[in-house]
Amino acid sequence: MNLHDAALQLGLALQPDQLAAFERYRLELIEWNRRFNLTSVDDPAAIETAHFLDSLSALLALPRIDGRPLEEWLKRPLAGVDVGAGAGFPGLPLKIAWPALRLTLVEATGKKCRFLQHAVDVLGLQDVTVVNARAEDFGQGSGRERFDLALARAVASLPTLLEYTLPLLRLGGWLVAQKGRYPGEEISAAQEALRTLGGSLHDVVAVTVPGLDAERHLVIVAKAAPTPAAYPRRAGIPKKHPLG
Ligand code: SAM
């Protein structure tokens, strides 16, 4: 199945310019991956399913937040942050599909940030900022309470991820965390972090990614109360000593 038809299964009608952007992104990823180890997935077909479509599947969380259809969400110029973006997932596919999104990509590794900035430049994406920082430092600095939507895939277990992301959200903002199998244990372990950081579990949505034979879930968390100033703790601490 081609990307256009697969994306349609997710409810997204990608236009020719968007499909061309995905193709260019794929070529750049393969090219840079020869020199720097950006991703272990670099087979062209696997990039499409495991990276592009899996990233796009995060959009399925949006209608579950407030019942608005996806096409309405995609018109909103929200401020989104992808924490631990790596080679750009899920943030850059979302930006291609959602041009109005004002996107910030936070990534701790410099060489990945160089790739991210290069990809943003060659794809001609507007309103994308690449921040080479630890999420903890960004959350105690210029990123604090600035975002409507936080996204993350394959970055940390939920208690740690909540400490990375909730400080970045304004009150009333949302976290969409992409997970594999139903993350029941992570959710149980995250109760203390939710209470402490001002989060409220809203929903866990099972999604099917076209062409991907893997269980996928989206964990949706609301920023329901302010995060105390002491959080996030110093860089490295949320991972070493998760709340709870
Ligand atoms: N999200 C991408 C994806 O799904 O392909 C990358 C996943 S990779 C396994 C995790 C990324 O998160 C790495 O690039 C790592 O440098 C970054 N990372 C981990 N902890 C971080 C932190 N505290 N702040 C910023 N980036 C972080």
Side-chain angles (χ1 to χ4, degrees):
M1 201 187 325
N2 63 37
L3 184 59
H4 175 269
D5 293 353
L8 263 188
Q9 291 194 2
L10 295 172
L12 270 175
L14 294 175
Q15 301 302 304
D17 60 323
Q18 293 170 311
L19 292 166
F22 276 111
E23 189 48 34
R24 181 73 193 267
Y25 186 13
R26 171 161 50 189
L27 293 174
E28 294 293 340
L29 192 58
I30 292 169
E31 171 64 23
W32 276 59
N33 217 33
R34 290 205 186 104
R35 286 177 284 148
F36 310 104
N37 184 22
L38 294 173
T39 168
S40 55
V41 177
D42 72 351
D43 166 71
I47 289 175
E48 193 159 296
T49 51
H51 285 327
F52 295 166
L53 290 163
D54 189 53
S55 294
L56 292 174
S57 73
L59 294 172
L60 300 178
L62 301 178
R64 297 292 280 257
I65 286 176
D66 62 2
R68 284 188 228 208
L70 183 55
E71 58 269 28
E72 265 187 42
W73 273 91
L74 298 186
K75 290 179 191 145
R76 302 173 71 193
L78 298 186
V81 59
D82 178 356
V83 172
F89 306 113
L92 287 182
L94 295 187
K95 174 66 188 176
I96 294 170
W98 182 358
L101 180 68
R102 294 179 287 119
L103 177 67
T104 297
L105 302 164
V106 181
E107 170 52 52
T109 305
K111 73 175 179 187
K112 292 183 179 174
C113 288
R114 284 193 289 284
F115 172 72
L116 289 171
Q117 190 59 59
H118 172 75
V120 168
D121 293 344
V122 296
L123 297 178
L125 300 173
Q126 306 293 313
D127 274 334
V128 182
T129 307
V130 178
V131 176
N132 184 190
R134 301 279 310 217
E136 300 92 312
D137 296 327
F138 192 52
Q140 282 295 2
S142 61
R144 194 170 186 90
E145 291 185 358
R146 258 187 46 208
F147 297 94
D148 304 300
L149 187 64
L151 301 140
R153 185 184 82 159
V155 176
S157 73
L158 209 48
T160 301
L161 191 63
L162 290 168
E163 194 166 346
Y164 290 166
T165 54
L166 284 174
L168 300 173
L169 290 172
R170 63 166 180 78
L171 214 52
W174 299 90
L175 163 67
V176 176
Q178 294 188 263
K179 296 286 175 183
R181 274 183 297 163
Y182 182 83
E185 279 178 24
E186 279 188 49
I187 290 170
S188 304
Q191 296 306 310
E192 177 68 23
L194 286 167
R195 259 193 307 276
T196 305
L197 301 167
S200 167
L201 181 67
H202 175 74
D203 206 349
V204 182
V205 185
V207 290
T208 302
V209 178
L212 197 65
D213 183 20
E215 275 188 73
R216 306 292 290 146
H217 287 85
L218 306 173
V219 179
I220 308 175
V221 174
K223 170 93 171 237
T227 301
Y231 302 96
R233 292 165 291 167
R234 225 163 8 93
I237 305 294
K239 184 170 177 197
K240 203 167 169 198
H241 301 291
L243 289 169

